[in-house]
Amino acid sequence: MKRTSVGVLIVLAVFAGAGGFVLDHMLTAMGRTTFTPSLLLPVLLLLIGAASLGVAWPVRSSVRDGVRIDPFRATRAVTLARASSLLGAIMAGFGAGLFAFLLSRPIDPPVGSTVAMLALIGSAIVLVIAALVAEQFCTLPKDPDDSEPTDRAGDPGPAEFGGGH
């Protein structure tokens, strides 16, 4: 399984940022108030990051201790970590888009909105970092059974040894 690419995270953040900016622009054009995320959202993102690290920690411990771990458990942990990093990138970009729209307005943004968006961006970045660390925790050593055998039964071998067609 490949690791989460930083490029993918950046692309997601850019698209989500554009989406956040366009959302607030559309709301303002319709005469509605701009979107302000709840202050509980950053707390939720931090809890997801802690859960991701908590699920990945036993995998790391068993790898360091040399204890064999169920590969499906490691797969579940790394899947949660990957999903968390993607979510964090999307939320960071979305919050940055909302914040950029607020800053582009001719009036000063309300302090409550500014704090909420900065908290969203900060907690989303913490989530991305925690998820990437959790993904690193889930790196399993190469299984000796997975290595390709040097003597394959039933394979006639290269043509120079009389096994070609």
Side-chain angles (χ1 to χ4, degrees):
M1 190 169 188
K2 291 183 181 177
R3 292 181 190 237
T4 303
S5 169
V6 175
V8 169
L9 297 177
I10 291 171
V11 167
L12 282 174
V14 167
F15 279 124
F21 189 90
V22 168
L23 173 70
D24 261 358
H25 181 69
M26 287 176 40
L27 288 173
T28 304
M30 292 188 308
R32 298 189 177 169
T33 60
T34 58
F35 179 77
T36 302
S38 169
L39 285 175
L40 293 177
L41 183 57
V43 174
L44 177 65
L45 294 178
L46 293 175
L47 289 174
I48 292 171
S52 183
L53 286 171
V55 169
W57 185 260
V59 176
R60 179 182 186 266
S61 296
S62 64
V63 168
R64 292 185 107 197
D65 296 340
V67 177
R68 181 155 170 78
I69 188 167
D70 180 21
F72 292 111
R73 184 176 184 183
T75 302
R76 284 189 292 269
V78 77
T79 303
L80 174 63
R82 177 170 285 182
S84 297
S85 66
L86 297 176
L87 173 69
I90 291 169
M91 294 309 294
F94 186 72
L98 295 175
F99 189 62
F101 181 79
L102 277 183
L103 294 180
S104 71
R105 306 288 296 162
I107 58 173
D108 290 335
V111 174
S113 296
T114 304
V115 169
M117 297 202 199
L118 290 176
L120 174 62
I121 295 167
S123 64
I125 291 171
V126 169
L127 174 60
V128 169
I129 292 169
L132 291 176
V133 168
E135 191 175 338
Q136 174 67 32
F137 284 174
C138 295
T139 304
L140 297 176
K142 190 148 183 85
D143 194 8
D145 296 339
D146 290 343
S147 63
E148 206 169 303
T150 56
D151 181 1
R152 293 184 295 206
D155 184 15
E160 61 264 11
F161 295 118
H165 293 286

